């Protein structure tokens, strides 16, 4: 993460040493440990710490003042592979600055960096290819890194099964090709099939010619002509048949829908014809014998006859 001087002063505080003093202590401690071949782990930790400080451009002035770039270059030919990995990693983090690129070129650091291409450590090879990618635009003599030996390494790594190594190698080969720094005696970069062709570039000679339709002729085609419009997915809208004098095959629809209830009762019209039923009688029929009453007379009880036998008579 990039920092400003205000942020650095706020984080370090008034009692802590500043960034320059801290880096100077690390460099002094590392130089003292270089004389001791037994304490390799401490040297690895200090060198990795210096490589982490190379991420921030605010430290580039301190790196140039303390000659930390020369310290990284001196560690590239160490037998310890960890020191080589951390040293090339530190150079990769800061070599994008033109001043640091100039220091590397003037101090003959390019042959040391190119020697890391043959390393057996994957991280070392990745940092080396990335360092060359950043150094190429800022070098006064870029032909140093475009020799036949370097191009052979890059073309070999371009066919690697490791995606990171393959992609970085292809990027560097494309950058070398764009800068026009490939010597005439060297072999060309990987074939264009590894890169997608640009729209403005012509097709390669090995590709088939573009398709051209055959000339039109009067001979009938072996295939039917394509339809003028694709078939519709929906049925056509309904249109009524044209009216004509011919009778319709279907009866006309009713003028009104049938009623769900019976019609109200209406008496039949009067007529002179005799009714099918006799009229009701105007009065009840008279009895055959008009002298006889219709109902039996009521006989009132005889007042002179006792209702009950007198007492002591012994009953009936």
């Amino acid at each position: 993460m990039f920092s400003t001087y205000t942020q650095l002063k706020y984080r370090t505080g008034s009692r802590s040493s500043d960034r320059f003093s801290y880096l100077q202590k690390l460099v002094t401690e590392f130089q003292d440990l270089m004389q001791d071949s037994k304490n390799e782990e401490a040297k690895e930790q200090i060198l990795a710490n210096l490589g982490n400080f190379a991420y921030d451009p605010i430290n580039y002035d301190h790196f140039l003042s303390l000659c930390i770039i020369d310290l990284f270059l001196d560690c590239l030919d160490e037998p310890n592979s960890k020191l080589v990995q951390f040293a090339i990693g530190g150079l990769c983090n800061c070599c994008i600055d033109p001043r640091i690129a100039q220091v590397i070129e003037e101090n003959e650091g390019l042959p040391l960096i190119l020697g890391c291409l043959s390393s057996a450590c994957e991280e070392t090879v990745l940092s080396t290819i990335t360092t060359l990618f950043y150094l190429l635009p800022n070098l006064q003599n870029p032909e140093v890194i475009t020799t036949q030996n370097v191009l052979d390494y890059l073309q070999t790594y371009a066919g690697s099964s490791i995606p990171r190594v393959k992609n970085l190698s292809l990027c560097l080969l494309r950058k070398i090709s764009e800068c026009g720094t490939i010597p005439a005696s060297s072999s060309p970069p990987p074939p264009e099939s590894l890169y997608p062709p640009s729209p403005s570039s012509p097709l390669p000679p090995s590709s088939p010619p573009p398709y051209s339709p055959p000339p039109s002729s009067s001979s009938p085609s072996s295939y039917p002509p394509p339809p003028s419009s694709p078939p519709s997915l929906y049925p056509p809208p309904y249109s009524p048949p044209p009216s004509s004098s011919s009778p319709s095959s279907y009866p006309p629809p009713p003028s009104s829908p049938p009623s769900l209830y019976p019609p109200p009762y209406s008496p039949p019209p009067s007529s002179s014809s005799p009714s099918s039923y006799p009229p009701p009688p105007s009065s009840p029929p008279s009895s055959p014998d008009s002298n006889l009453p219709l109902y039996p007379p009521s006989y009132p009880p005889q007042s002179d006859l006792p209702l009950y036998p007198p007492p002591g008579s012994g009953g009936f």
Side-chain angles (χ1 to χ4, degrees), residues 143 146-148 151 176 180-189:
E143 293 80 8
T146 58
T147 59
Q148 183 63 42
L151 293 178
I176 292 174
T181 55
I182 300 179
S185 59
S186 62
S187 59

Side-chain angles (χ1 to χ4, degrees), residues 75-108:
C75 294
L76 292 180
D77 57 355
E78 287 288 331
N80 188 348
S81 61
K82 284 291 184 180
L83 292 178
V84 177
Q85 176 184 345
F86 297 147
I88 191 63
L91 291 173
C92 179
N93 292 338
C94 61
C95 69
I96 195 172
D97 188 272
R99 299 172 298 171
I100 296 178
Q102 183 180 359
V103 171
I104 294 175
E105 188 175 12
E106 291 177 354
N107 294 345
E108 298 181 356

Side-chain angles (χ1 to χ4, degrees), residues 30 33 54 83 98 101 107 139 144 151 168 195 210-211 230 238 247 255 268 270 294 296:
F30 184 82
L33 291 173
L83 292 178
N107 294 345
L139 294 178
V144 180
L151 293 178
L168 282 176
Y195 308 101
Y211 171 76
Y238 171 76
S255 58
S270 61
L294 294 177

Side-chain angles (χ1 to χ4, degrees), residues 31 40 60-61 94 115 149 154 210 273 280 313:
Q31 291 175 349
E40 295 291 330
Y60 290 170
D61 294 335
C94 61
N149 189 21
L154 294 178
S273 62
S313 61

Side-chain angles (χ1 to χ4, degrees), residues 174 192 195-204 207:
R174 172 58 64 88
E192 287 295 329
Y195 308 101
S198 58
S200 59
S201 61
L203 296 175
S207 62

